[in-house]
Amino acid sequence: MMAELRTALVAGANGIIGKALMQELAASEGWHARALSRRPHGSSEAIAADLTDPEATRAALAQARETTHLFYAALAPPAEPCR
């Protein structure tokens, strides 16, 4: 029986975590990874979109309808200490 192909959309694919995840998914059986980034990524199926622009993001994501999983990681500023 053949395993179902999972399609990942990796937001921030040009970042440290995103690049590593793209490489990991490419080496993993049963996964197809697609990059989502603000700047050009270089992969043939990459999607360029600025997530702070809702209309442009909506239009760009129309080409990612087959996505089954979304991966996103972001650097968070340190929490404010309690006073």
Side-chain angles (χ1 to χ4, degrees):
M1 187 167 124
M2 191 171 174
E4 183 178 329
L5 182 67
R6 295 164 288 189
T7 301
L9 183 62
V10 180
N14 281 331
I16 294 169
I17 296 170
K19 281 183 184 178
L21 180 57
M22 290 289 293
Q23 292 172 349
E24 185 67 28
L25 292 172
S28 299
E29 189 174 327
W31 282 99
H32 171 71
R34 186 173 215 179
L36 173 63
S37 58
R38 207 175 336 183
R39 293 176 300 283
H41 179 266
S43 63
S44 63
E45 296 183 62
I47 299 172
D50 181 348
L51 298 180
T52 64
D53 182 341
E55 295 301 318
T57 299
R58 187 175 293 108
L61 290 179
Q63 54 188 306
R65 294 193 191 284
E66 74 285 351
T67 299
T68 59
H69 295 73
L70 171 66
F71 293 89
Y72 174 80
L75 178 64
E80 289 286 323
C82 296
R83 297 181 197 252

